[in-house]
Amino acid sequence: MMTPARHLLTAIDCTAHVHLVIGSNPLASARSARSIEAGAKVKVVAAEAAEVHYALMKRIDEGAVEWLRRGFQDEDLQTLGRDEVEGVVDAVFITLGGKSALSAHISTLCRRLRIPVNVADAPNLCTFTLLSTHSDGPLQIGITTSGKGCKLASRIRREIASSLPPDLGSAVERLGTIRRRIWEEDHRAADLDDNTLEVDEDDSTAQKASFNQLITPEDRDAARSRRMRWLSQVCEYWPLRRLASITDADVDSILQSYLTTHSQSSTAPLDPISLDKRHRRGRIVLAGSGPGSPDLLTLATHRAIQTADLILADKLVPAPVLELVPRRTEVYIARKFPGNAEKAQEELLTMGLAGLQAGKIVVRLKQGDPYIYGRGGEEFDFFRKHGYIATVLPGITSALSAPLFAGVPPTHRAVADQVLICTGTGRKGASPDPPPYIPSQTVVFLMALHRLGALVESLTIPGSKSEKSPWPQETPCAVIERASCPDQRVIRSTLQHVCAAVEEEGSRPPGLLVVGWSCEVLHKSGGQKWVVEEGFRGFGDLWGIEEGDLGRLRVIEGVGGG
């Protein structure tokens, strides 16, 4: 049976209160910080030779905390407090732990004097506990487990705080302003009604048609009731995100509407529908589409595709992924080709910004992962400079998934303990510096097949690109194209023969090059110059589909093999 809570949760104004902290450890520092935030004056009692936590010492040096460099004395409880309460301290925090005899002694004294006391890790010695709090301006949310588990309280508090819309604290402040101003205006109007003087008829010119209309106290009370009821209903029923979107301009509009229609109108000062439309703001999502198969999309990216108003996709995003886009959604495919990459990128950014300014949900759909040679960081920075913070959704990068689908473990005990991901094409098409040869390293080159010859030459010929040690010609490698797609192709070879293999077999972009001894861990060369493997079995075994329905697999021996 669950034990009922026996605590009264309150919010205490601690301004100018005196809080006594016993101890100088990290917990004492944390207790001092919380008290200072609440406006209290903190006095720490700890021996001169005690080790003081660095953060607490910083506050002592800054004058925010007073350190009494001695042991605790019983009279401290009744002499260190405020003058207006005859020197009694307002609260005591003991950080020595519940097993300390001094902790039990101080707790007993505090209970006798009715001073609130908190003892670390000793609920039986406490008369109060601190809540795990979330603060956002005037909004404070406190969670307690009644001493059953502070870590759990912190976790619950984080869960609740993460579900709240941003700037909710500002909305609370603004709604409080509206409530206070309505209250002030109502009381001011009541005072004017009570103090209105009669005037002579000669002075009463240009009377309105409603001059002789009977106004009863009930009418005024009803108008006031309608206004306060409207505000109460807004606080009670409006979605929190709508409340959080109220601005200072909205507050001014509400108050102006109230003043000009003080006793007559019953119209709501804010229309929720127009408010939602007016405050709808475009959102940008940078999403990775994975290596190729739509089965490898994350759920988050799939939801983003389904809810987007505009999708700006990379040229290499495969058709099966684009087929998931609803027909109602506008889709634009990047027109990137050699010599036009920068211009096409600028065009995508311009279109994305225009969509955001129109209030659309824009999804920038990228092959692989946005931050692995996807220019995701550049795009994030671009939109941030224009006032939009992008949501970045990870994708399964082909740099790690393509080797998996090709049967190449990038790391393998006693063979490869390092993985290096490189680009084969630098900025503006320049050739990057090749990595040095490390026998225990697997290197994955992205965007490299269109200049495979130059890349292999820079790796294997001494001094061709750098003074670093060259790679042996017999180093195993694998060209993996259209990974996870039905027409996936893997060419297994060595650095000596890989260029001839690709030249004879042709290119099937997008593809990448994996180099290192891990390439032959699961697939031995068998003496051939190269081996070609066609097709991708997919995930039929998982879904209960026959393998033959998913594609074919054939092995072709390279010319001159054997």
Side-chain angles (χ1 to χ4, degrees):
M1 182 176 178
M2 193 164 51
T3 305
R6 301 293 186 184
H7 295 85
L8 177 65
L9 303 184
T10 61
I12 302 175
D13 184 359
C14 296
T15 305
H17 284 197
V18 174
H19 288 179
L20 191 63
V21 178
I22 312 299
S24 59
N25 53 28
L27 181 59
S29 178
R31 293 287 189 260
S32 299
R34 290 283 295 273
S35 295
I36 293 171
E37 290 174 1
K41 181 179 180 181
V42 178
K43 296 185 179 182
V44 170
V45 176
E48 175 77 30
E51 183 178 351
V52 182
H53 186 258
Y54 70 92
L56 179 59
M57 180 57 74
K58 181 180 180 182
R59 294 187 178 93
I60 293 173
D61 294 339
E62 293 172 348
V65 173
E66 180 182 349
W67 180 14
L68 305 178
R69 302 168 188 259
R70 55 172 175 78
F72 172 79
Q73 301 172 2
D74 291 358
E75 56 267 24
D76 289 342
L77 300 178
Q78 300 181 77
T79 58
L80 297 178
R82 297 173 288 152
D83 293 338
E84 54 265 40
V85 291
E86 300 181 351
V88 178
V89 297
D90 296 287
V92 176
F93 297 93
I94 305 173
T95 65
L96 308 178
K99 295 182 179 181
S100 170
L102 181 59
S103 297
H105 174 68
I106 298 174
S107 175
T108 301
L109 292 177
C110 289
R111 289 172 184 267
R112 188 179 303 155
L113 297 170
R114 296 186 178 182
I115 299 174
V117 59
N118 176 271
V119 183
D121 298 326
N124 58 310
L125 298 181
C126 298
T127 60
F128 78 97
T129 58
L130 292 179
L131 279 61
S132 179
T133 59
H134 165 73
S135 299
D136 182 7
L139 174 64
Q140 289 185 295
I141 299 173
I143 300 295
T144 179
T145 55
S146 301
K148 305 299 182 182
C150 59
K151 293 295 184 181
L152 180 58
S154 297
R155 192 261 177 96
I156 295 172
R157 183 256 306 164
R158 293 194 303 269
E159 294 280 350
I160 293 175
S162 65
S163 67
L164 299 176
D167 300 325
L168 186 58
S170 299
V172 173
E173 184 73 48
R174 294 184 178 104
L175 290 170
T177 299
I178 296 173
R179 185 181 186 86
R180 186 187 72 252
R181 290 287 298 276
I182 289 178
W183 186 88
E184 291 173 351
E185 293 297 334
D186 281 341
H187 281 71
R188 185 179 295 111
D191 292 341
L192 289 175
D193 290 342
D194 292 340
N195 298 322
T196 299
L197 299 176
E198 294 184 1
V199 295
D200 295 335
E201 286 189 8
D202 292 342
D203 295 331
S204 56
T205 58
Q207 295 172 348
K208 296 182 179 180
S210 60
F211 175 76
N212 292 319
Q213 181 178 347
L214 179 62
I215 300 178
T216 66
E218 290 77 10
D219 293 333
R220 290 193 294 269
D221 292 341
R224 294 168 190 163
S225 177
R226 282 196 303 271
R227 289 186 288 269
M228 294 307 296
R229 188 166 60 248
W230 171 81
L231 183 58
S232 297
Q233 290 174 347
V234 165
C235 295
E236 180 71 23
Y237 299 115
W238 276 20
L240 292 180
R241 292 193 179 278
R242 183 185 297 162
L243 290 177
S245 69
I246 293 176
T247 64
D248 291 333
D250 294 325
V251 173
D252 294 339
S253 175
I254 293 170
L255 295 175
Q256 186 61 34
S257 172
Y258 170 74
L259 292 174
T260 57
T261 61
H262 184 68
S263 61
Q264 302 294 327
S265 175
S266 60
T267 304
L270 276 183
D271 175 30
I273 297 178
S274 61
L275 182 67
D276 289 345
K277 289 182 178 179
R278 178 157 45 89
H279 288 287
R280 186 186 179 192
R281 182 175 173 81
R283 289 186 287 128
I284 176 68
V285 179
L286 307 180
S289 65
S293 172
D295 288 331
L296 298 176
L297 284 175
T298 64
L299 287 175
T301 295
H302 185 263
R303 292 193 187 104
I305 291 173
Q306 295 295 311
T307 57
D309 299 313
L310 171 64
I311 291 181
L312 305 174
D314 277 348
K315 179 182 178 182
L316 296 178
V317 174
V321 173
L322 295 177
E323 289 172 359
L324 298 174
V325 179
R327 292 184 179 181
R328 68 177 185 277
T329 305
E330 181 182 359
V331 179
Y332 181 82
I333 309 298
R335 296 184 292 184
K336 290 188 178 181
F337 52 85
N340 189 55
E342 293 299 325
K343 184 177 180 181
Q345 180 71 6
E346 293 176 4
E347 183 180 26
L348 286 177
L349 295 176
T350 301
M351 292 181 66
L353 183 58
L356 292 173
Q357 293 170 343
K360 295 181 179 181
I361 300 175
V362 180
V363 172
R364 178 71 175 90
L365 193 60
K366 296 175 170 292
Q367 176 81 343
D369 183 272
Y371 281 179
I372 304 296
Y373 295 113
R375 305 186 71 167
E378 298 176 28
E379 296 185 11
F380 184 97
D381 189 51
F382 171 84
F383 290 115
R384 180 173 58 183
K385 288 179 179 178
H386 288 84
Y388 299 91
I389 302 299
T391 299
V392 184
L393 303 180
I396 299 177
T397 175
S398 60
L400 299 178
S401 60
L404 182 148
F405 296 130
V408 176
T411 63
H412 191 81
R413 187 178 301 181
V415 177
D417 57 14
Q418 304 175 32
V419 181
L420 178 64
I421 302 175
C422 299
T423 177
T425 304
R427 189 173 180 82
K428 296 183 178 180
S431 300
D433 291 334
Y437 173 64
I438 300 176
S440 61
Q441 186 179 77
T442 302
V443 182
V444 181
F445 291 96
L446 303 177
M447 302 176 292
L449 298 187
H450 65 285
R451 54 177 304 276
L452 182 61
L455 174 61
V456 172
E457 179 180 343
S458 68
L459 292 173
T460 58
I461 299 179
S464 61
K465 184 68 177 179
S466 68
E467 299 301 324
K468 300 173 183 177
S469 57
W471 289 67
Q473 294 274 358
E474 64 274 13
T475 305
C477 64
V479 173
I480 309 169
E481 299 167 302
R482 301 189 61 79
S484 77
C485 294
D487 56 345
Q488 170 182 299
R489 183 174 67 178
V490 180
I491 303 177
R492 304 185 192 277
S493 185
T494 62
L495 289 178
Q496 180 179 0
H497 301 293
V498 66
C499 293
V502 172
E503 183 177 353
E504 182 166 327
E505 300 293 339
S507 178
R508 191 181 296 174
L512 54 81
L513 174 68
V514 183
V515 183
W517 295 98
S518 62
C519 290
E520 66 173 16
V521 166
L522 301 180
H523 296 270
K524 303 300 181 182
S525 63
Q528 299 98 332
K529 291 182 178 179
W530 66 83
V531 172
V532 180
E533 298 173 358
E534 290 269 6
F536 176 62
R537 288 192 176 91
F539 309 101
D541 292 342
L542 294 177
W543 322 136
I545 302 174
E546 293 295 332
E547 290 186 4
D549 295 337
L550 291 174
R552 58 195 178 87
L553 179 66
R554 66 183 179 90
V555 178
I556 306 175
E557 293 187 0
V559 175

